[in-house]
Amino acid sequence: MSHHHDAPLRSANRDLQEIEKKMDRRRFLTRTSLGIGSLALGSLMGMEKIFAGNPQIPITPSESSNGLTGLPHFMPKAKRIIYLFQSGGPSQLDLFDYKPRLVDLHGQELPESVRDGQRLTGMSADQSSFPLTASAFKFQQYGQSRAWVSELMPHTAEIVDELCFIKSMQTGQINHDPAITFFQTGHQLPGRPSMGAWLSYGLGSDNQNLPSFIVLISKNAVQDQPLYARLWGNGFLPSQHQGIQFRSGKDPVLYLGNPENYDGKDRREMLDYLKSLNEVQLDTYGDPEINARIAQYEMAFRMQTSVPEVTDMSSEPDWVYEMYGEDSRDPGTYAANCLMARKLIEKDVKFVQLYHQGWDQHGNLPGGIKNQCQKTDQATAALIKDLKQRGLLEDTLVVWGGEFGRTVYSQGTLSPDNYGRDHHPRCFTKWMCGAGVKPGFTYGETDEFGYNVVKDPVPVHDLQATILHLFGIDHEKLTYKHQGRRFRLTDVEGHVVKGILT
């Protein structure tokens, strides 16, 4: 009887032992494959990311995460970029694209042959009249390059010989959300990685104690159009490549500081236990995003020291504040963010993105754009001068502009002293300067109405391809496989605009 009863027990034990053997084999294969995968990931991301936080493998500021193997593809001209995004669509006709013939045509109807059936926004589609509107502001030529600049931007006028104006920008997007998403991610629909995330993924970081991609948003801007965190998001790239927003005030990065009565030793101990738990989860599921999570916790720990240091403005002399303007003493303003951008790139942050809202002047454009220029002109010019005097401009790329331009006709009623302008995607102006870009140069041309490009059009993907090129990247080769397809910033388009390169 006892043997009869023992048989099922022996069988169960054998089954259990077999399961344990299989589990051991599975664990062995999982762990060794993950170990090999970690080494491969280490060669791609830089070994210091894999071993971040390990006291046996210290990280020094001079070490850099080299990004993907084989990048850059060729010698880069740019090491860093500051993108001064003017959200809302600045009017090129009132700032840089001087059209003297409009003075004589002011108030006359836009010829149908010029518009050529172009689709309009819902805000002006029902207008029965499209009166041509000359700028209310005077233009002059400046510098050896004889660039035309409006009286609204006297400080920018002083630096035109450093700038490369692109007057022939084009986009297929006519509304704010898809247009700004297109500029930042290469696609009009949400979900793709931002340009800063692509650069972080491809090239890694040159400062292990700060994020490679940092975002600053003006606090004193007219918030006529919303900004979304997805504009600086990582999309389907590993999450450590997303942009980190620095805010003005006591806590530049939310939740970075220790809780009350909690010190650095406590935080280090907590992170070590948390890392162990994450590694158990990694062993179990093999999700590479867990590695990204570990890296982010370690970065946050290092940022507890590095962020207060880089955001401390007390060492800046008075002459610097005077150069950037009085607003630069007020943290979070556009001027203060321009100064902060300079400090961040001095620390080798690769991508600094500034957003300044308030350029969406459908009505009362003369008053609205004057106010915007007063907030931004001096600090923008000061940033370029500051970078140049510190020897940083030669390998720092600076980009200025919005998501589209404004129409040559008035939206709504045109009065003797007031007008508005609707969105215009067919032609608008951006400027670039610094690393590898021709200084004192104007590229592209629009017609006498400022409505269509007549020479050297530059679509958005061409601009993105050119920016990547300046970083030594072939835009067709920086890809990421997601859902069975290889994606890239420039989608299936894009050509490098060689005419603006030195």
Side-chain angles (χ1 to χ4, degrees), residues 25-176:
R25 187 160 55 246
R26 185 183 301 130
R27 281 179 183 159
F28 170 78
L29 289 171
T30 302
R31 285 177 176 172
T32 53
S33 65
L34 282 170
I36 294 166
S38 296
L39 290 172
L41 191 63
S43 69
L44 294 176
M45 297 170 57
M47 293 305 293
E48 67 277 9
K49 280 190 179 179
I50 302 301
F51 299 110
N54 187 332
Q56 304 303 317
I57 307 176
I59 297 171
T60 64
S62 62
E63 291 179 76
S64 70
S65 167
N66 294 322
L68 297 178
T69 301
L71 264 70
H73 299 120
F74 44 85
M75 186 64 70
K77 295 286 185 72
K79 290 183 179 178
R80 301 164 294 268
I81 177 173
I82 299 173
Y83 197 144
L84 305 170
F85 200 95
Q86 312 301 314
S87 178
S91 170
Q92 75 283 5
L93 295 162
D94 296 277
L95 298 176
F96 303 118
D97 202 7
Y98 179 47
K99 297 299 171 187
R101 192 172 176 220
L102 291 178
V103 176
D104 297 328
L105 298 175
H106 187 72
Q108 296 183 28
E109 286 296 310
L110 171 70
E112 183 55 41
S113 60
V114 175
R115 179 183 158 194
D116 195 26
Q118 183 211 5
R119 125 179 130 101
L120 306 177
T121 73
M123 290 164 284
S124 59
D126 294 334
Q127 285 186 204
S128 57
S129 175
F130 298 94
L132 292 167
T133 306
S135 177
F137 305 99
K138 295 176 183 177
F139 280 73
Q140 288 186 45
Q141 287 177 289
Y142 295 89
Q144 292 183 350
S145 57
R146 309 309 294 151
W148 288 99
V149 180
S150 158
E151 63 181 310
L152 289 169
M153 290 199 159
H155 297 279
T156 300
E158 297 175 2
I159 60 163
V160 290
D161 287 340
E162 302 294 342
L163 308 182
C164 177
F165 291 98
I166 303 175
K167 301 233 177 131
S168 51
M169 286 299 309
Q170 293 180 321
T171 181
Q173 313 307 318
I174 201 169
N175 291 311
H176 294 286

